[in-house]
Amino acid sequence: MSTKNIAILASGSGSNAQAIMDACKQNEIAGVVRIIISDNPKAYVLQRAEENNIKTVVERDFEKIKNLLEQEKIDLIVLAGYLKILPKSFIKQFENKIINIHPSLIPSFCGEGFYGEHVHRAAIERGVKVSGCTTHFVNEIADGGPIIFQKVVEVKQDDDYKTLAKRILEQEHPLLVKSCKYFCEDRLEVKGHMVYIKEKKCEH
Ligand code: GRF
């Protein structure tokens, strides 16, 4: 098992990106974050990357993003709060190599239009008793790719979309770290719409 090269694509605050950077540093993930790419020059994630001495690029052109990923020999692309839609050709080129985190239990409150606070507002309005977060491989259907891991979070009676978002975000970080960890250990096997989790191999 060789150390994997990771790229993170993010548009905002980057608390999920931070969790990945920290886990790589602590060798919890057998990977190195080589580059953080944002479509938003004001995204706080860029500052976080710089503080961690990680290369940053602001780029919206997917041809150029593709070239950057090839240059850096990227094995895993993580969408950590990335708001741009990926072109089909890009998804195809990196099939089963792009992981996204979504702040609900897919297939609830996901797909087109379900991003940011919209997800949590919809959950509260529907009156669900549990929500949560999901990591999945990205395919051509919005939030429709093979599910890797999910974590359930209780919705409390007095929750508003902000308190719910906060409680779910806390669970997103370990879930995304775990997903990257398993990927980097070659323990995620995709067969059709299913992701099979493989036991860790003993290394002698
Ligand atoms: C998270 O809730 C993530 O699930 C969603 O966007 C948010 C990003 O938060 N896709 P952060 O930028 O990682 O703090």
Side-chain angles (χ1 to χ4, degrees):
M1 186 184 80
S2 57
T3 305
K4 302 277 194 284
N5 292 326
I6 302 172
I8 300 176
L9 273 57
S11 306
S13 151
S15 66
N16 278 293
Q18 185 73 59
I20 297 170
M21 289 188 281
D22 292 347
C24 287
K25 253 193 196 165
Q26 287 153 11
N27 294 324
E28 195 184 335
I29 295 174
V32 178
V33 180
R34 296 282 176 205
I35 189 167
I36 295 198
I37 303 172
S38 185
D39 54 315
N40 172 11
K42 294 198 181 119
Y44 183 56
V45 69
L46 295 171
Q47 201 172 311
R48 291 183 191 267
E50 279 157 23
E51 280 163 12
N52 283 271
N53 298 315
I54 288 165
K55 178 173 174 178
T56 60
V57 177
V58 176
E59 185 57 73
R60 297 193 179 104
D61 178 333
F62 279 98
E63 272 311 308
K64 290 190 181 149
I65 293 177
K66 239 191 230 178
N67 292 339
L68 283 165
L69 299 174
E70 281 165 2
Q71 268 168 31
E72 299 288 337
K73 299 190 169 39
I74 294 301
D75 303 296
L76 168 64
I77 301 163
V78 184
L79 307 185
Y82 189 61
L83 293 178
K84 266 180 84 81
I85 305 285
L86 307 180
K88 284 205 172 101
S89 60
F90 185 94
I91 295 171
K92 218 171 170 194
Q93 182 173 350
F94 298 101
E95 196 185 14
N96 297 334
K97 292 192 166 99
I98 312 174
I99 292 179
N100 183 42
I101 176 114
H102 183 77
S104 76
L105 294 175
I106 290 176
S108 289
F109 313 118
C110 65
E112 226 175 288
F114 285 102
Y115 62 90
E117 65 180 62
H118 302 290
V119 180
H120 306 294
R121 280 183 187 277
I124 299 263
E125 265 162 36
R126 184 60 186 84
V128 292
K129 302 296 187 198
V130 293
S131 187
C133 42
T134 304
T135 54
H136 66 90
F137 284 111
V138 172
N139 69 8
E140 65 291 347
I141 304 157
D143 298 321
I147 289 171
I148 305 169
F149 292 120
Q150 296 190 292
K151 174 80 185 180
V152 175
V153 173
E154 186 194 348
V155 181
K156 299 195 171 150
Q157 300 207 27
D158 56 356
D159 263 336
D160 59 22
Y161 76 91
K162 284 188 184 159
T163 55
L164 180 60
K166 186 168 175 283
R167 207 155 353 91
I168 290 177
L169 188 62
E170 283 165 13
Q171 297 304 321
E172 287 181 42
H173 301 155
L175 197 76
L176 188 55
V177 165
K178 184 178 168 190
S179 307
C180 295
K181 175 182 164 66
Y182 276 58
F183 180 95
C184 290
E185 291 173 4
D186 300 319
R187 293 171 65 191
L188 303 177
E189 192 180 346
V190 185
K191 283 190 195 159
H193 63 281
M194 279 289 293
V195 177
Y196 293 88
I197 311 296
K198 295 196 279 189
E199 288 296 316
K200 192 171 184 172
K201 280 193 201 118
C202 284
E203 280 173 18
H204 296 287

